[in-house]
Amino acid sequence: MSPTIPHGTAPASPDTGATPAVDADAAPGARPTLVARLAASVADPVLRILVGATLISRIGRGIFLTVTVLYFTLIVGLTPGEVAIVLAAASGAGVVASFAGGWLADRFSAKRLIILFTAIEGAALITYVFAADFVTALVIAVICGLFEQGANSTRSAIIARAFTGESRVHARAVLRTVTNVSIAVGSGLGALALALGTAEAYRGLILGAGVLYLLGLFQLVRLPARVDAPARAAVAEVVTATGSVDAAATAEAIESERRSWRSHSPWRDPRYLWLTALSAIFGMQFGVGELGVPLWITRETAAPEVLIAALLILNTIIVVVFQVPMSRGTHDLRVAGRVSAIAAWLMAGACLVYAASAGLPVGFAIAVLVIAATAHAFAEVLSQAGGWGLSFELADPVRAGTYQGVFGMGYSVGALAAPLVVNATAISHGISGWAVLAAIFLASGLGTWLIARRAAAVA
């Protein structure tokens, strides 16, 4: 979910000289066709490669997300408690891997890393068809969680290095849009297994999901070398006047270079750590949509359960249609702060409107929930756009990968905490719990706005 570019224009990457796609048949001054605008939005070769790989692999992800819980329970035979442990362990592994992926991308080839991580994840997904007990499923899930999040952080590092300014946020927005479309397609395919209900159908689709991940590698191998971090210059030996090596001075020079490298660490950047923490807190809005809203609808409202699927479709449509255009300009700190503040108010309002749906007649409950879900979806779009812009612009470019790894780790922690927080507030305490959630989202979003405002003032 992120920014676009002017109609018919694709800013060339300063490193590649990529030129905009042009509609040769368009009359001078005429509005470019839809095809021309779509082509222009992915004119950069690195973005085209990432879009191609994402389009393929995320279909596989959509398949897996649709069938995973029922596969574990109906086919593998796990209890609900065991399924919860498996999913929590995978999320916990992802927290560590989010940081590690970015950290490694500053030290090794990001291209080779994302190829390796994606290949391992795809192979691990395929091995799910052989899972027959809790321990096997747990081990596979941890491996998948590790390498999925490692690949995500490496991808963020690639974007940070391959693009600049608005084109970076634009790339994130395009990839987010493609991800949503692909997962929706994959979810539709996954529904085939649910309809058939046989072990063979489940295993066949999981096998297909893993194969799609591996097919994405054919795109990733085309990434250029410029996506890698510049090699750190070796410290030259210090030579005395007589031509011999001064070991003590050389050791001091090496240590000085190491101190300089460590000084660029995000762990020594309080502003960035605050941004990461606040973004992680606001990122719990995903948990509201995935857990809080479905449980609230089924337990506390008169709305039919089918509305849950309808609201998910509504969210996907809003993200796909609005993420790119509403992310435009968020590479500017002031704009990023402003959209973060708007997202804060929208999300706080959405929580209160969700709460208001309890006890209403069916028609009113449906209308209120649709209004809340719409505000929630736009809060998601704007918060993602603002967060991407700030995560890139406030990062130290010397260690762009590590900075993106820390930011991604924050989101992983937020995702891990979201079910607990949502359950402890809205689900356990009803309307008062929703009010607490609204205050949490408002405070975190306005905190992000404050960071952006202060950063812009000293920029």
Side-chain angles (χ1 to χ4, degrees), residues 281-371:
I281 292 171
F282 202 94
M284 290 192 298
Q285 57 87 15
F286 289 107
V288 171
E290 294 166 2
L291 175 67
V293 173
L295 290 178
W296 183 256
I297 289 175
T298 56
R299 293 182 179 183
E300 305 293 339
T301 78
E305 293 184 4
V306 70
L307 183 63
I308 297 171
L311 295 183
L312 178 61
I313 293 171
L314 174 65
N315 176 275
T316 301
I317 291 172
I318 290 174
V319 170
V320 169
V321 173
F322 293 102
Q323 185 64 76
V324 172
M326 295 189 77
S327 299
R328 182 184 293 118
T330 53
H331 66 292
D332 182 288
L333 296 176
R334 291 179 178 83
V335 176
R338 185 160 57 248
V339 299
S340 297
I342 295 172
W345 288 106
L346 283 173
M347 192 63 213
C351 288
L352 298 178
V353 177
Y354 279 133
S357 65
L360 296 177
V362 175
F364 285 105
I366 292 174
V368 168
L369 287 167
V370 169
I371 292 171

Side-chain angles (χ1 to χ4, degrees), residues 151-344:
N152 287 342
S153 289
T154 304
R155 187 178 297 106
S156 294
I158 287 173
I159 293 171
R161 297 199 184 280
F163 304 94
T164 59
E166 184 169 8
S167 61
R168 281 192 297 216
V169 187
H170 173 73
R172 284 297 298 262
V174 169
L175 291 174
R176 177 72 175 171
T177 301
V178 170
T179 295
N180 276 268
V181 171
S182 297
I183 287 180
V185 172
S187 297
L189 294 174
L192 295 175
L194 303 183
L196 295 174
T198 65
E200 291 74 17
Y202 278 98
R203 291 194 174 100
L205 278 173
I206 288 176
L207 177 64
V211 169
L212 285 171
Y213 269 77
L214 299 179
L215 288 176
L217 296 175
F218 288 99
Q219 290 291 320
L220 296 176
V221 296
R222 298 170 51 225
L223 285 170
R226 68 185 177 91
V227 303
D228 295 335
R232 292 170 61 183
V235 177
E237 293 180 331
V238 179
V239 180
T240 66
T242 61
S244 60
V245 175
D246 188 330
T250 299
E252 175 59 28
I254 293 173
E255 181 58 29
S256 177
E257 192 276 337
R258 288 175 178 169
R259 285 196 298 269
S260 175
W261 177 257
R262 288 194 295 268
S263 70
H264 295 282
S265 170
W267 300 112
R268 299 188 179 193
D269 188 340
R271 182 177 65 183
Y272 201 84
L273 294 177
W274 273 111
L275 170 66
T276 297
L278 292 171
S279 297
I281 292 171
F282 202 94
M284 290 192 298
Q285 57 87 15
F286 289 107
V288 171
E290 294 166 2
L291 175 67
V293 173
L295 290 178
W296 183 256
I297 289 175
T298 56
R299 293 182 179 183
E300 305 293 339
T301 78
E305 293 184 4
V306 70
L307 183 63
I308 297 171
L311 295 183
L312 178 61
I313 293 171
L314 174 65
N315 176 275
T316 301
I317 291 172
I318 290 174
V319 170
V320 169
V321 173
F322 293 102
Q323 185 64 76
V324 172
M326 295 189 77
S327 299
R328 182 184 293 118
T330 53
H331 66 292
D332 182 288
L333 296 176
R334 291 179 178 83
V335 176
R338 185 160 57 248
V339 299
S340 297
I342 295 172

Side-chain angles (χ1 to χ4, degrees), residues 8 68 193 375 381:
T68 178
V381 168

